[in-house]
C-alpha cells in the first residue's frame, strides 16, 4: 500500500542510531494504531535493531540500579499507544513468569546477556517450559500472549540492561506461580520516569 511504501522509504533514508530518533520513529509507527496493526510489526523490529547503544549513549542517563530488588523498570518515553522502558537487571536474578494482556513486547538487549524462558499456560497446573533463548547484546525478541508466557533471567555475574517496548500501553499483567500455576494481577511499577526517581503508578 502507499502508506507501507512511504514508511519503508522513510526508514531507508534515515539512519536510526540515536535514542531521540528511535523514539520519534516509534511514535510515528505506533501512536493511535489498532492492536491488530501493531502485532509483530517488522518495522518496529527494524527501528529497534537500527538503534546503536554503543554510538548513542543517551540511554545511560536512564540507568538506575537498586541492589535491593531484582531489577528496575525505568520509563524512557510514553505515547498514546506505547511505553518504552529500560530494565536494569542485577546479577543472578529473574522476573516472574508473566503475560502481556492486550499488548505486544519487543525486547532489545543493550548491555550484557539475558535469557528468555518461554512457557505454555495450562489449566489446573504450573506453566510448562517450552523453550529457552539466550539473548546477547543487540538481539531483539518479540512476544505477545498468542505466543505464550515468558520470564527474563540474568544468570550472569554482571548487570544486564534491556530496552522494552510495549504497545499498546502495558500497565498491568498476570504473574504465574511456577509450582502450581496460580495467577495473580500485578500493576506496573516504575522506579524512574523520564530519569526522575518515583514510586509506582
Amino acid at each position: 500500500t502507499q502508506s507501507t511504501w512511504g514508511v519503508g522509504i522513510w526508514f531507508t533514508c534515515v539512519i536510526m542510531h540515536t535514542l531521540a530518533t528511535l523514539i520519534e520513529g516509534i511514535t510515528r509507527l505506533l501512536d493511535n494504531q489498532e492492536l491488530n496493526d501493531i502485532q509483530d510489526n517488522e518495522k518496529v523490529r527494524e527501528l529497534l535493531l537500527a538503534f546503536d547503544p554503543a554510538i548513542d549513549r543517551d540511554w545511560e542517563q536512564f540507568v538506575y540500579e537498586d541492589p535491593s530488588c531484582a531489577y528496575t523498570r525505568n520509563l524512557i518515553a510514553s505515547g498514546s499507544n506505547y511505553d518504552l522502558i529500560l530494565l536494569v537487571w542485577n546479577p543472578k536474578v529473574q522476573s516472574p513468569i508473566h503475560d502481556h494482556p492486550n499488548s505486544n513486547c519487543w525486547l532489545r538487549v543493550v548491555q550484557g546477556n539475558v535469557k528468555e524462558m518461554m512457557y505454555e499456560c495450562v489449566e489446573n497446573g504450573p506453566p510448562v517450559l517450552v523453550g529457552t533463548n539466550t539473548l546477547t547484546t543487540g538481539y531483539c525478541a518479540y512476544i505477545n500472549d498468542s505466543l505464550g508466557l515468558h520470564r527474563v533471567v540474568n544468570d550472569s555475574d554482571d548487570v544486564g540492561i534491556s530496552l522494552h517496548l510495549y504497545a499498546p500501553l502495558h500497565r498491568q499483567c498476570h504473574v504465574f506461580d511456577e509450582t502450581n500455576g496460580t495467577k495473580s494481577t500485578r500493576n506496573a511499577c516504575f522506579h524512574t520516569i523520564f530519569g526522575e526517581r518515583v514510586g509506582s503508578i
Side-chain angles (χ1 to χ4, degrees):
T1 63
Q2 181 66 36
S3 59
T4 301
W5 180 87
V7 171
I9 293 298
W10 168 79
F11 174 78
T12 301
C13 293
V14 179
I15 299 174
M16 307 291 290
H17 59 75
T18 71
L19 184 61
T21 34
L22 173 64
I23 294 169
E24 179 184 351
I26 290 170
T27 302
R28 288 184 182 183
L29 281 175
L30 296 184
D31 262 7
N32 303 312
Q33 288 199 34
E34 297 295 329
L35 175 63
N36 289 340
D37 296 328
I38 294 174
Q39 289 180 354
D40 204 12
N41 189 318
E42 187 60 31
K43 289 182 173 56
V44 176
R45 189 187 301 269
E46 290 173 355
L47 286 173
L48 289 167
L49 287 173
F51 170 62
D52 190 338
I55 293 177
D56 177 46
R57 313 292 297 191
D58 280 355
W59 57 273
E60 292 182 338
Q61 65 184 296
F62 301 103
V63 173
Y64 174 75
E65 295 183 48
D66 185 346
S68 69
C69 56
Y71 55 92
T72 63
R73 303 177 78 252
N74 307 283
L75 184 65
I76 291 179
S78 186
S80 64
N81 217 8
Y82 75 87
D83 282 333
L84 185 64
I85 304 173
L86 193 73
L87 271 71
V88 182
W89 304 87
N90 282 322
K92 306 297 184 182
V93 299
Q94 62 185 15
S95 74
I97 301 170
H98 62 280
D99 63 5
H100 304 83
N102 302 313
S103 189
N104 302 269
C105 172
W106 292 264
L107 187 165
R108 171 75 151 80
V109 182
V110 299
Q111 178 178 300
N113 301 321
V114 298
K115 185 181 298 181
E116 182 185 36
M117 302 178 69
M118 303 289 298
Y119 293 84
E120 180 182 352
C121 187
V122 297
E123 291 188 31
N124 303 317
V128 177
L129 180 65
V130 295
T132 300
N133 301 312
T134 297
L135 312 181
T136 57
T137 299
Y139 193 94
C140 185
Y142 171 82
I143 190 171
N144 66 19
D145 280 359
S146 69
L147 300 176
L149 314 173
H150 80 166
R151 81 174 348 150
V152 179
V153 180
N154 180 16
D155 57 8
S156 76
D157 295 321
D158 301 312
V159 170
I161 300 177
S162 53
L163 193 63
H164 295 234
L165 174 63
Y166 300 99
L169 295 173
H170 177 63
R171 300 291 174 86
Q172 191 176 81
C173 72
H174 302 108
V175 299
F176 297 79
D177 189 294
E178 60 187 302
T179 61
N180 57 31
T182 301
K183 180 172 71 173
S184 57
T185 300
R186 179 172 295 184
N187 293 324
C189 175
F190 296 132
H191 294 80
T192 67
I193 295 180
F194 311 139
E196 299 293 330
R197 182 75 171 95
V198 295
S200 60
I201 63 172

